[in-house]
Amino acid sequence: MNLNTIVEVKRPASEGDIPAWREGYAWLAGGTWLFSTPQLATHTLIDLETLRWPSLKASAAGLEIGATCTIAELERFEAPAGWSAAPLLKLCCHALLMSFKIYNAATVGGNICMSLPAGSMISLTTALEATYTLWPREGRPRKVAALDFVTGNHKNVLAQGELLRSIHLPASALQKRFAFRRSSLTHLGRSAALLVGTRAKDETGFLLTVTAATARPMQLKFDRFPSDEALRQAISKTIKDADWFDDVHGSAAYKRHLTYYYAEQIRSELA
Ligand SMILES: Cc1cc2nc3c(=O)[nH]c(=O)nc-3n(C[C@H](O)[C@H](O)[C@H](O)COP(=O)(O)OP(=O)(O)OC[C@H]3O[C@@H](n4cnc5c(N)ncnc54)[C@H](O)[C@@H]3O)c2cc1C
């Protein structure tokens, strides 16, 4: 849609060109959400595309994802041999309510900064133990664990004008075995529940990440592989009644049910 409150689009060529932050400014990434609804409080967009941040860089340490990397680019990424969790990238890229346009324009950083429960880039990066690099408008860059970034439905830890610059997926997580379960009420619809379990190759531990069913990502970490009963108890201890996310894509009770159901399937698959 046309945003008739916008009077200027700034296109910085480098970080040095980014203007001091003012009320009414908004970062523009893929624009798939920004242009989907009126932005009455916004008069200036600052386009991140012109900064030309590298999209994807694989190294022995893991995968560095520029915040402006599109979901389509991430979906096409060919991972080095040994990154057994790499198929999760593709699975999560397809776990959005997505038209062709959104798929090609939406960015990984934009999806994370939207901080919706059904943000599948949040699911992916939390499950793979990512660290985000944030650029405050004043001061030095800071690092935040993916698990701590989203604080509620459409809420996160970004201060005013603060940028998400990049996402680091550690090689140790990319080398894990994984199991994935997702449900949505309609084919290609918004996720009602998206769960990922991971387990290191040495077979110690188990990490279960619950997203979409809850307003923010929840994670259960086990040093020893849990029994079915231990897993159920841990879910009920960690996820409180108020954490289940009730919306048109599923009631809280439905999402709670899916979570227990899929968690046990994931546990059995990785046992
Ligand atoms: C039909 C439709 C279906 C959708 N389905 C889903 C869905 O299933 N799940 C879901 O999560 N979302 C969904 N969305 C919302 C949105 O399109 C996606 O979250 C998308 O990934 C946002 O990415 P973008 O690059 O287009 O962000 P933009 O629209 O450009 O920006 C989104 C917000 O993030 C801010 N932002 C962007 N990048 C940065 C950055 N690097 N640092 C700081 N702030 C930043 C922007 O200022 C803006 O507030 C849907 C939208 C539509 C229209």
Side-chain angles (χ1 to χ4, degrees):
M1 69 161 50
N2 289 332
L3 298 180
N4 56 15
T5 55
I6 303 299
V7 293
E8 189 180 1
V9 179
K10 293 184 186 291
R11 295 200 163 85
S14 69
E15 277 91 56
D17 292 344
I18 297 178
W21 196 256
R22 299 236 174 94
E23 201 65 40
Y25 280 9
W27 301 117
L28 169 63
T32 61
W33 175 76
L34 277 170
F35 285 92
S36 73
T37 183
Q39 305 290 342
L40 300 182
T42 304
H43 54 70
T44 300
L45 297 174
I46 306 172
D47 195 345
L48 297 174
E49 193 184 17
T50 50
L51 293 169
R52 306 252 168 251
W53 291 337
S55 289
L56 294 162
K57 190 163 175 260
S59 70
L63 181 63
E64 199 71 19
I65 307 172
T68 46
C69 173
T70 63
I71 292 177
E73 283 176 286
L74 185 65
E75 199 260 358
R76 289 194 296 265
F77 174 68
E78 288 188 19
W83 285 9
S84 39
L88 200 50
L89 271 56
K90 220 180 257 308
L91 285 166
C92 287
C93 287
H94 288 282
L96 290 160
L97 166 59
M98 222 172 26
S99 63
F100 174 81
K101 190 171 71 181
I102 291 185
Y103 167 73
N104 282 290
T107 64
V108 176
N111 187 261
I112 293 169
C113 294
M114 276 303 292
S115 302
L116 300 176
S120 63
M121 296 298 104
I122 300 164
S123 318
L124 171 73
T125 55
T126 305
L128 292 181
E129 301 159 62
T131 303
Y132 300 162
T133 298
L134 309 184
W135 279 4
R137 297 313 305 135
E138 308 288 337
R140 299 170 60 78
R142 61 178 181 129
K143 308 255 186 213
V144 175
L147 181 62
D148 300 328
F149 181 82
V150 178
T151 53
N153 176 26
H154 204 25
K155 293 195 183 104
N156 59 44
V157 300
L158 285 176
Q160 214 188 28
E162 192 168 25
L163 259 179
L164 169 61
R165 168 62 185 85
S166 59
I167 300 109
H168 175 74
L169 303 180
S172 55
L174 284 158
Q175 286 160 1
K176 287 183 173 181
R177 292 199 293 134
F178 78 93
F180 170 95
R181 293 290 185 283
R182 172 187 182 241
S183 190
S184 108
L185 280 182
T186 51
H187 182 56
L188 301 178
R190 202 169 270 205
S191 302
L194 194 164
L195 277 77
V196 178
T198 58
R199 202 173 179 198
K201 288 255 168 65
D202 64 7
E203 303 287 284
T204 56
F206 174 58
L207 191 66
L208 181 73
T209 305
V210 178
T211 55
T214 50
R216 64 183 173 86
M218 310 290 281
Q219 206 162 53
L220 288 82
K221 189 173 183 188
F222 299 87
D223 293 331
R224 287 175 43 197
F225 198 71
S227 65
D228 53 351
E229 184 51 31
L231 179 61
R232 289 185 66 80
Q233 281 181 13
I235 296 172
S236 80
K237 203 169 145 200
T238 309
I239 308 181
K240 309 288 177 215
D241 284 352
D243 293 323
W244 301 107
F245 185 59
D246 198 328
D247 72 348
V248 292
H249 304 286
S251 67
Y254 170 68
K255 292 178 180 179
R256 181 179 184 280
H257 168 77
L258 288 178
T259 299
Y260 279 87
Y261 181 69
Y262 286 149
E264 176 50 26
Q265 285 192 356
I266 287 173
R267 194 196 69 85
S268 302
E269 187 176 323
L270 293 179

